[in-house]
């Protein structure tokens, strides 16, 4: 029996893939451990997986909505994430990962658990890195879309050379951000890092798991060596309460398939008046709709519109006329598996790049959420629903074994076991 520790932080999209792989390891008779923020302890333990605490605790930063508002600030969000939420706490993160890894056979890190590789270097514990979305690979052969803006789209279209310049400039900034991490390396008696930990330094030479299917991003010459794409690890949270499931069933049975609006577990906290715009657009289109608001919105609902605080996406997306979502990688995985056409409304981080990849697959249209007026939502949804090519492509992608959510976790689990020397 192997003890495999996963260290992760972030939203549910940063947790669910590791729960999926952990469940696959449990089925094989092994002992997974997930080290993550205290908010997710119950979710981890509910799946029979051992939980280990990983600082910083979210309470240190105030309410989740205030944190989300700062994270999704288009100019200062990344600096807040790294400069305020990650770097000041790398010593605590190191201590927690080291404690969780005692007696382990393998450590698996998320891109933001930057102290994990140091634990491996100091103790000799085998280490595997993982990324959840193609943007984390920062390939200049397939330049990522770094923001939902015209400037970012223009830079991407210019090709590999400007991408390399941007990464080189970014590395200078990242080196400044990473001074606390370098200080910790020195205290531990470790040599200075060759590459920034947030860029090339995040990748393990043993194995890098890219937890998405090849249909979303094909291998590039500048990807890290030993990168494996096992597919999406499929886990979608706990089943809804019986009364919620009953209410969903009654609504679905009462009319034509609805539009389903969902913004993941983070953007939902900064959605503002998006739900009112969604209701307006659905009403103008004469369509029924379901809003998955995360409990962050309360308003009046016209006939034919239903709102739920939470539903596992797998219970509702397959019943949609179209799925409107923020483009987080976990949400995109469920949307692709549903076989329904999509309108992606990205905000920040990996979402714009994920959106352009969904568009390239022919299953989606894209509209930045900050530009999503009712009229534009009507126009984009009208085009999406009026062209059967989107629905045909969505059904084809869902039937592709490479996008099958049932196999990614098992493949990833087997790869991890193979990485233990």
């Amino acid at each position: 029996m192997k003890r495999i520790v996963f260290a992760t932080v972030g939203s549910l999209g940063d947790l669910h893939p590791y729960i999926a792989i952990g469940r696959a390891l449990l089925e094989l008779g092994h002992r997974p451990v997930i080290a993550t923020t205290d908010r997710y302890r119950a979710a981890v333990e509910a799946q029979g997986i051992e939980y280990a605490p990983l600082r910083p605790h979210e309470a240190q930063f105030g309410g989740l909505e205030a944190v989300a508002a700062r994270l999704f600030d288009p100019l200062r969000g990344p600096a807040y994430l790294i400069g305020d939420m990650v770097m000041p706490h790398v010593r605590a993160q190191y201590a927690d990962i080291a404690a969780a890894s005692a007696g382990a056979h393998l450590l698996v890190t998320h891109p933001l658990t930057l102290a994990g590789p140091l634990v491996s270097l100091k103790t000799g514990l085998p280490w595997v890195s993982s990324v959840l979305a193609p943007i984390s690979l920062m390939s200049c052969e397939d330049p990522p879309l770094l923001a939902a803006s015209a400037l970012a789209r223009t830079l991407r279209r210019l090709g590999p050379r400007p991408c390399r310049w941007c990464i080189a400039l970014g590395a200078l900034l990242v080196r400044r951000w990473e001074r606390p991490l370098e200080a910790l390396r020195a205290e531990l008696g470790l040599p200075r890092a060759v590459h920034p930990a947030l860029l090339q330094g995040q990748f393990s030479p043993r194995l890098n798991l890219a937890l998405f299917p090849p249909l979303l991003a094909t291998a590039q010459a500048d990807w890290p060596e030993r990168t494996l794409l096992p597919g999406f690890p499929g886990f979608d949270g706990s089943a809804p309460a019986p009364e919620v499931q009953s209410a969903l069933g009654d609504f679905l049975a009462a009319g034509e398939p609805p539009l389903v609006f969902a913004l993941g577990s983070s953007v939902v906290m900064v959605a503002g008046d998006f739900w009112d715009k969604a209701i307006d657009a659905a009403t103008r289109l004469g369509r029924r709709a379901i809003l998955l608001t995360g409990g962050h919105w309360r308003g009046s609902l016209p006939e034919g519109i239903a709102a739920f605080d939470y539903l596992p996406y797998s219970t509702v997306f397959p019943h949609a006329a179209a799925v409107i979502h923020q483009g987080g990688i976990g949400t995109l995985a469920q949307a692709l598996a549903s076989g329904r056409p999509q309108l992606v409304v990205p905000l920040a981080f990996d979402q714009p790049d994920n959106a352009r990849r969904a568009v390239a697959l022919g299953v989606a249209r894209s509209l930045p959420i900050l530009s999503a007026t009712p009229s534009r939502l009507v126009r984009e949804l009208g085009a999406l629903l009026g062209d059967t090519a989107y629905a045909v492509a969505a059904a084809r992608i869902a039937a592709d074994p490479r996008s099958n959510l049932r196999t990614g976790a098992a493949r990833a689990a087997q790869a991890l076991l193979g990485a233990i020397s």
Side-chain angles (χ1 to χ4, degrees):
M1 180 174 69
K2 303 299 184 183
R3 187 172 188 269
I4 298 177
V5 176
F6 300 86
T8 184
V9 294
S11 68
L12 288 178
D14 299 285
L15 174 71
H16 283 175
Y18 303 107
I19 288 181
I21 301 169
R23 283 159 51 108
L25 288 166
L26 282 174
E27 291 178 2
L28 294 171
H30 298 284
R31 185 184 171 193
V33 180
I34 295 182
T36 190
T37 182
D38 49 353
R39 179 161 60 112
Y40 296 138
R41 178 170 190 158
V44 170
E45 293 181 340
Q47 302 304 316
I49 297 171
E50 182 181 341
Y51 166 83
L54 183 59
R55 289 172 288 177
H57 301 306
E58 291 180 347
Q60 295 176 233
F61 304 104
L64 288 175
E65 292 186 11
V67 170
R70 296 190 68 180
L71 279 175
F72 286 106
D73 182 293
L75 294 178
R76 292 177 286 273
Y80 172 68
L81 172 63
I82 304 303
D84 292 80
M85 298 189 73
V86 176
M87 287 301 164
H89 308 281
V90 290
R91 285 175 177 79
Q93 189 186 86
Y94 178 91
D96 290 344
I97 294 175
S101 300
H105 297 87
L106 185 70
L107 172 64
V108 183
T109 56
H110 173 279
L112 289 179
T113 53
L114 303 178
L118 276 60
V119 173
S120 172
L121 285 171
K122 187 66 177 178
T123 66
L125 175 66
W127 160 54
V128 167
S129 56
S130 66
V131 298
L132 303 179
I135 194 172
S136 292
L137 297 171
M138 293 301 292
S139 170
C140 288
E141 299 302 318
D142 179 17
L145 183 60
L146 297 176
S149 68
L151 175 60
R153 288 191 291 272
T154 298
L155 284 174
R156 184 185 177 277
R157 284 195 295 268
L158 292 177
R161 182 173 293 179
C163 177
R164 295 189 187 99
W165 294 339
C166 287
I167 290 178
L169 289 173
L172 297 177
L173 174 62
V174 164
R175 283 291 193 185
R176 292 205 301 271
W177 283 351
E178 292 185 3
R179 284 171 183 165
L181 190 66
E182 280 301 324
L184 177 59
R185 292 180 70 102
E187 291 173 17
L188 294 170
L190 299 174
R192 178 175 171 81
V194 176
H195 301 292
L198 286 163
L199 298 174
Q200 300 98 321
Q202 69 177 287
F203 304 119
S204 168
R206 181 180 297 263
L207 175 65
N208 179 54
L209 279 182
L211 297 173
F212 50 83
L215 61 86
L216 205 60
T218 56
Q220 301 295 324
D222 58 349
W223 277 14
E225 292 185 7
R226 296 186 175 90
T227 293
L228 176 69
L229 281 68
F232 291 125
F235 177 76
D236 195 26
S238 301
E243 61 272 19
V244 175
Q245 187 68 53
S246 176
L248 173 63
D250 290 344
F251 182 83
L252 292 174
E256 65 178 3
L259 302 172
V260 176
F261 293 83
L263 296 178
S265 62
S266 295
V267 176
V268 71
M269 290 186 276
V270 293
D273 61 353
F274 176 79
W275 305 113
D276 299 299
K277 296 174 182 177
I279 291 171
D280 190 348
T283 301
R284 293 192 201 183
L285 288 165
R287 291 276 182 170
R288 291 168 13 107
I290 290 175
L291 317 178
L292 303 181
T293 67
H296 299 279
W297 178 85
R298 291 289 183 270
S300 58
L301 294 170
E303 185 177 355
I305 310 288
F308 295 86
D309 289 351
Y310 166 79
L311 286 172
Y313 292 157
S314 58
T315 67
V316 63
F317 281 5
H319 303 286
V323 178
I324 302 89
H325 66 90
Q326 89 290 0
I329 194 65
T331 308
L332 177 60
Q334 292 292 339
L336 290 173
S338 76
R340 310 309 304 146
Q342 307 168 39
L343 174 61
V344 189
V345 288
L347 178 57
F349 297 110
D350 64 322
Q351 297 163 10
D353 191 61
N354 295 338
R356 68 104 179 167
R357 293 175 188 276
V359 170
L361 290 174
V363 304
R365 297 177 67 87
S366 181
L367 172 68
I369 194 169
L370 296 179
S371 302
T373 63
S375 295
R376 288 174 175 167
L377 285 169
V378 167
R379 183 176 67 245
E380 292 297 328
L381 287 168
L384 185 72
L385 297 167
D387 187 345
T388 58
Y390 292 105
V392 170
R396 175 178 52 79
I397 293 296
D400 190 322
R402 295 175 297 172
S403 60
N404 190 326
L405 292 174
R406 292 187 294 274
T407 59
R411 291 172 180 163
Q414 291 290 353
L416 293 177
L417 294 171
I420 298 173
S421 57

